[in-house]
Each structure stands twice: as C-alpha cells, then as structure tokens.
Amino acid sequence: SIPNNSETIINFETKEFDSHGAVTTGAAWKFTAPISGTYEISAMVEFNSGGGWAVAEEAFLVVAKNGGNVARLVGYIANAAHSTYVALSTSPRQIKLVAGDYINLKVFQNSGAALGLLNAASTNWISIKRIGN
C-alpha cells in the first residue's frame, strides 16, 4: 500500500537475479553497489485503480542515493478524472556509485487515498546493472 501524499520506498520482494548479494528486501529495500562504477536503472510500477484520480493529481518515481533524492525518473499528472490503472515506466537512467553507496526507488502519489500496487512481477520491477567505471 502506497500512502497518499508521501514518498514511499518500494519493496521489490522477489529477486530474480542478484549475483553479488547486493539487494536487501523489505520496507528498507535497497541496492548496495558492490563495485564502484556507473549503473543503469530501469523500473516500472503500476497502481491498482483505487478510488480514482482527479485532475492534477500526480504520481512519480524517484531514485534516492544514500538516503537523498537524486532524480525524478518518471511522472504522471491526471488530465481528467478517472479510476483506471496508472503505470509508471522509466527510461534507463545512469548513476555513478562508489562501492558501498546504496540506492532505492521511491514512489509518490496524491490521489486522495492509499493505493496498492498490482500484485504482479510483470508490472512491478526494477533492473540495475553495472555498465562501466
């Protein structure tokens, strides 16, 4: 459940691949860089329909490094009232990390009530890969 009007760390509970044991799951979900370098982050989350969205209500994903927000990855602003699903999908984003730095992904929504994310790994996922020094 994602509370209304609050940035919340996303717990991507299931690990498909974690070659370095770098991912901590749970409410304090994070990826800790095992090696210094440039990492590429891509992600997607999808809210269930909840109680609906009003004009100008928004949702967004933020990447945080060592506890501080670095960048808004993707955002959504409702142009019309509706009660359908809202998906946030990012383009790949690069971030430099030193071994021991950690990142997490936060989601925000202000639809007026707490909203759940769909219970499907195909619509709620994160990919982090080291691409260089």
Side-chain angles (χ1 to χ4, degrees):
S1 178
I2 308 302
N4 181 61
N5 209 31
S6 177
E7 286 183 3
T8 303
I9 295 172
I10 302 170
N11 177 16
F12 297 97
E13 296 173 350
T14 304
K15 295 190 268 185
E16 287 185 20
F17 183 72
D18 183 4
S19 62
H20 290 79
V23 174
T24 301
T25 58
W29 187 99
K30 66 182 175 181
F31 167 84
T32 303
I35 302 168
S36 297
T38 301
Y39 289 78
E40 186 174 84
I41 305 162
S42 300
M44 178 178 178
V45 297
E46 187 168 3
F47 292 100
N48 64 24
S49 60
W53 297 82
V55 173
E57 290 179 339
E58 66 177 326
F60 57 81
L61 289 176
V62 174
V63 64
K65 176 180 168 181
N66 298 328
N69 290 356
V70 174
R72 184 181 286 202
L73 299 174
V74 63
Y76 164 82
I77 299 175
N79 293 322
H82 65 88
S83 59
T84 56
Y85 299 121
V86 170
L88 302 171
S89 182
T90 70
S91 297
R93 171 72 184 226
Q94 294 180 5
I95 185 169
K96 290 192 180 284
L97 299 174
V98 174
D101 282 349
Y102 70 91
I103 59 172
N104 49 39
L105 200 66
K106 298 177 184 178
V107 65
F108 172 90
Q109 63 85 20
N110 66 353
S111 69
L115 289 178
L117 298 178
L118 286 178
N119 188 15
S122 62
T123 60
N124 295 290
W125 55 266
I126 187 167
S127 172
I128 303 168
K129 60 184 175 184
R130 184 172 175 268
I131 60 170
N133 296 322

